[in-house]
Amino acid sequence: MPAPRVIYWFRTDLRLHDSPALKAAIDLEPECLYPIWSWDPHYLYRAPVGPNRWKFLLDCQNDLSASITKLNPRSKLFLIREAPQTLFPKLFNEWKITHLVFEKDTDAYGNDRDQNVIELAKKAGVDVVVKIGRTLYDPDQLVKENKGKPTMSISQVQAAGARIGQIPRPIPAPQSLPDPGNTDLSFHQERPLNDPDFNTAQRDGTDKSYEALAGPNNDFAVPTMEELGPKEATTPHRGGESIALKMLDEIISNEDYTATFEKPKTAPTAFGPQSTTLLSPHLHFGSLSCREFYWRVQDVVDKYKGKASEPPTSLTGQLLFRDMYFGAQASLGYLFGQTYKNPQCRFIPWHLPSEIDTKTGFITGKYSKDSDQAEEWFTRWKEGRTGFPWIDALMRQLKLEGWIHHLGRHAVACFLTRGGCYIHWERGAEVFEEWLIDHEAACNIGNWQWLSCTAFFSQYYRCYSPIAFPKKWDKAGDFVRKYVPELKNFDQKYIYEPANAPIADQKRWGCLIEGEGDGTSTSEGKLKLYPKPMFDFAERRDICIKGMKNAYSIGLYGDNPKVLDGSWREL
Ligand code: FAD
């Protein structure tokens, strides 16, 4: 038998520690091991990715590449700018590859792509090894142990998990790595990633003339932000396994914090530092292993002398939530990401409810996409100009930094959907997809469904007030002052309702509350402008609750024939 020649395909696992897939590749005792990242144009052109997430990814890639080189000075992360579906058959042939190894990805697109690549490998006579490492449990197994159904609650995850067995302990990082083989590419052609001449077929990899790229300098380097296009990152959060492990060490060294963590007690208004771990982007890119995180926490909890917190509010409970959404997504595939045809997702006729039609039980008005008012509210929500400082501060933090606290996400998601604007959750999820540095399809979609009470959670009568809720955490309004600096001089009495401040005070504090807050200043230029609230919150909340009540009583789901053919309108 000739010695194995292995491609290790990095994707959701930008780390060396606790990587069952990387261990499997090394255990093959290969003659050569190529650590590859295939730059899939799907993510450049199809999926909305904001500059902050790009930057985080590049940080992770640079850090990983340097760590690989530390273990073997002849190796590094080889970045190839081509879709895996067209790249791998060429590499199999060119580099005489015998094995392809990677971590399992159950995202809808990732799963399709991998099935395609596995078929291509089979045709080329290449063995494929796939290992679990992205979640605590294999999402497919979780579904199987949940009677073949999507996991929709933590107790289902716990019950299915108990049947699967103990979560595996993390495995150490390798001490050395095999050499890569010859990296010549006969099909190489120089072209930057942001080449404007790519047509759609080239972008999605179906046009075979899109040649493999080893980067502008033919050195397989990690791209720069410039290579990705004219995008400027503003996030202060940095990526990479080295940083992730340091952050984890710091958290774990605080035993009280680790053992007694209770999510509902963490302040969404805390910044510098935030009140939760901020490890989510590292879990997303795999620069931190979730099993490493889980067991480091569990070991502290097991030894803790006082009363430790428990799932679902504890830190390990948070990781179980993550697995729950992965299980739901694995079961439903592409349908998970939408209401249409989704049997788990309640159908709510999201639009602009101004009044309820008492005969039909539905809110009168048009579907949200047709409504000018809904569009205006959506834009103002997205741009942080709603006139509710708490909501605006959160949306501005999200855009600027790419991360907001979980309860902040609750607040803006509830406000956009069932607790204010009555706009479709899918539209909010799209904005999060673009701006979050931790965007994880399963978690984003699942949490939006939860918050909009379309799946997972149904207490639609409990809404977050954009005034009372933040006051509970941050009476002085420091969080608002940081992210909505126009209001920084306002007395705390008015910080969440600045429109109530007397005009003379508004002038004294340097900001007038008027108009729609498009970022301009008054004509004299001395005073800033901040918008009035775009609606009366209490009035809107009541209308939304009535709308939700009616929709629940009619009880349609995304796969109902009336939803599919649009006849719900005549109900
Ligand atoms: P911690 O509280 O420190 O929790 C530790 C880890 O547990 C997190 O890093 C995360 O991986 C996981 N976790 C915690 N809460 C949840 C949860 N509710 N659902 C799933 N995993 C959880 N999380 C994402 O990772 N990606 C997303 O795209 C995402 N979108 C969201 C959208 C909405 C509308 C809402 C309400 C929540 C979303 N979340 C998402 C879940 C949660 O808000 C973040 O995981 C969490 O705020 C990340 O901060 P942290 O690392 O400090 O969390």
Side-chain angles (χ1 to χ4, degrees):
M1 278 279 278
R5 299 175 61 84
V6 177
I7 286 183
Y8 185 78
W9 183 14
F10 279 100
R11 310 105 56 85
T12 48
D13 53 339
L14 290 169
R15 65 177 181 278
L16 296 180
H17 72 279
D18 188 36
S19 172
L22 184 60
K23 180 174 183 306
I26 296 168
D27 286 350
L28 289 168
E29 297 183 5
E31 167 186 288
C32 54
L33 182 116
Y34 295 91
I36 297 287
W37 176 283
S38 142
W39 200 292
D40 188 342
H42 172 87
Y43 291 105
L44 271 179
Y45 301 107
R46 291 279 165 83
V49 184
N52 286 333
R53 192 151 82 254
W54 281 137
K55 178 79 181 101
F56 203 93
L57 169 62
L58 301 188
D59 282 351
C60 290
Q61 292 176 333
N62 277 313
D63 185 69
L64 175 66
S65 194
S67 301
I68 293 173
T69 306
K70 263 192 214 150
L71 294 187
N72 181 338
R74 285 177 294 280
S75 192
K76 64 177 184 173
L77 182 64
F78 293 87
L79 269 288
I80 309 187
R81 286 94 167 135
E82 183 171 342
Q85 298 92 327
T86 56
L87 172 68
F88 282 128
K90 291 186 278 186
L91 290 186
F92 294 155
N93 179 40
E94 197 113 332
W95 292 347
K96 309 270 172 289
I97 297 301
T98 60
H99 292 76
L100 173 68
V101 186
F102 54 83
E103 182 177 87
K104 183 168 175 178
D105 181 356
T106 48
D107 278 9
Y109 167 76
N111 190 39
D112 272 7
R113 176 204 56 209
D114 291 351
Q115 291 314 316
N116 193 339
V117 168
I118 289 169
E119 279 303 307
L120 294 166
K122 258 193 214 155
K123 270 191 206 148
V126 169
D127 287 342
V128 179
V129 180
V130 185
K131 294 279 174 189
I132 304 298
R134 192 181 180 197
T135 40
L136 300 175
Y137 300 104
D138 175 355
D140 289 329
Q141 220 186 337
L142 213 47
V143 173
K144 193 168 153 235
E145 292 298 341
N146 190 42
K147 303 189 182 109
K149 299 215 166 82
T151 40
M152 304 301 285
S153 71
I154 283 290
S155 48
Q156 287 176 351
V157 173
Q158 286 170 316
R163 286 190 280 277
I164 293 170
Q166 203 187 47
I167 293 162
R169 285 237 161 221
I171 49 179
Q175 296 297 309
S176 65
L177 284 172
D179 281 352
N182 170 19
T183 52
D184 290 347
L185 295 176
S186 64
F187 50 92
H188 172 70
Q189 172 190 318
E190 277 182 26
R191 240 170 179 182
L193 271 174
N194 60 355
D195 187 335
D197 293 336
F198 288 153
N199 61 40
T200 314
Q202 286 167 326
R203 284 172 188 177
D204 67 14
T206 50
D207 180 346
K208 306 279 185 286
S209 68
Y210 174 18
E211 298 290 340
L213 296 157
N217 301 317
N218 197 17
D219 57 0
F220 300 95
V222 172
T224 57
M225 284 298 282
E226 292 70 47
E227 196 186 333
L228 295 174
K231 298 168 174 190
E232 207 180 314
T234 50
T235 180
H237 310 303
R238 304 308 301 266
E241 180 182 17
S242 315
I243 290 179
L245 289 174
K246 259 194 220 139
M247 285 171 71
L248 182 63
D249 283 347
E250 211 166 293
I251 289 158
I252 297 298
S253 70
N254 186 342
E255 289 180 6
D256 288 333
Y257 177 85
T258 303
T260 63
F261 180 98
E262 283 184 78
K263 188 63 156 280
K265 293 189 181 161
T266 59
T269 46
F271 60 91
Q274 74 295 331
S275 59
T276 54
T277 64
L278 222 161
L279 288 172
S280 49
H282 293 287
L283 291 170
H284 169 67
F285 286 110
S287 45
L288 179 66
S289 144
C290 60
R291 304 186 318 183
E292 177 82 24
F293 187 3
Y294 179 91
W295 279 111
R296 296 277 300 274
V297 171
Q298 193 57 47
D299 287 345
V300 170
V301 168
D302 289 343
K303 284 193 209 121
Y304 194 64
K305 299 269 182 281
K307 181 159 171 33
S309 52
E310 287 174 12
T313 56
S314 64
L315 266 179
T316 52
Q318 303 313 298
L319 293 173
L320 292 175
F321 272 119
R322 185 171 176 270
D323 263 46
M324 175 184 84
Y325 291 120
F326 272 94
Q329 175 183 245
S331 162
L332 292 161
Y334 284 106
L335 289 187
F336 182 59
Q338 59 191 47
T339 306
Y340 188 65
K341 292 192 177 172
N342 182 342
Q344 295 290 335
C345 192
R346 263 178 203 282
F347 174 75
I348 313 284
W350 301 110
H351 55 186
L352 256 197
S354 46
E355 50 187 89
I356 307 289
D357 182 326
T358 46
K359 206 168 104 224
T360 63
F362 273 120
I363 291 158
T364 55
K366 292 185 198 162
Y367 196 57
S368 68
K369 289 219 177 190
D370 311 330
S371 159
D372 291 347
Q373 177 70 94
E375 276 313 305
E376 188 205 317
W377 286 354
F378 176 72
T379 307
R380 289 181 62 171
W381 172 83
K382 185 175 174 185
E383 293 175 355
R385 298 190 286 110
T386 64
F388 293 97
W390 164 236
I391 300 296
D392 294 343
L394 287 163
M395 291 307 290
R396 294 185 198 185
Q397 184 193 24
L398 172 62
K399 184 166 187 198
L400 190 73
E401 302 183 357
W403 182 91
I404 50 178
H405 184 280
H406 183 57
L407 295 177
R409 298 182 201 207
H410 271 225
V412 296
C414 178
F415 184 88
L416 183 74
T417 57
R418 65 183 170 87
C421 306
Y422 218 70
I423 287 173
H424 205 306
W425 65 267
E426 289 174 23
R427 303 204 65 201
E430 271 169 27
V431 173
F432 271 37
E433 180 175 1
E434 182 180 349
W435 287 349
L436 278 175
I437 50 173
D438 65 17
H439 172 254
E440 192 75 84
C443 301
N444 190 41
I445 291 162
N447 275 289
W448 271 95
Q449 291 176 354
W450 178 303
L451 263 299
S452 60
C453 287
T454 49
F456 297 98
F457 183 77
S458 56
Q459 292 173 340
Y460 57 78
Y461 43 86
R462 286 176 57 190
C463 289
Y464 288 94
S465 156
I467 295 140
F469 181 69
K471 252 189 209 168
K472 199 176 102 184
W473 298 100
D474 179 14
K475 211 160 180 211
D478 292 339
F479 180 79
V480 165
R481 290 174 211 282
K482 175 165 168 68
Y483 292 101
V484 187
E486 316 77 293
L487 300 177
K488 70 174 189 297
N489 298 326
F490 272 57
D491 188 277
Q492 72 176 48
K493 185 173 168 199
Y494 301 109
I495 195 73
Y496 295 110
E497 294 177 283
N500 290 353
I503 299 289
D505 285 339
Q506 293 180 17
K507 286 187 174 160
R508 202 154 52 86
W509 295 328
C511 180
L512 281 182
I513 311 302
E514 63 175 55
E516 294 178 7
D518 56 4
T520 53
S521 301
T522 52
S523 49
E524 308 92 78
K526 286 195 192 120
L527 294 174
K528 298 260 188 259
L529 288 179
Y530 179 76
K532 285 193 168 150
M534 64 186 192
F535 46 61
D536 178 325
F537 174 71
E539 202 175 274
R540 293 293 314 164
R541 182 191 48 209
D542 291 350
I543 288 171
C544 287
I545 290 175
K546 273 189 206 152
M548 293 298 289
K549 196 171 170 198
N550 287 322
Y552 262 64
S553 69
I554 291 172
L556 301 184
Y557 282 78
D559 61 343
N560 187 291
K562 289 185 174 37
V563 172
L564 298 180
D565 69 12
S567 61
W568 60 269
R569 288 164 198 268
E570 279 85 52
L571 278 172

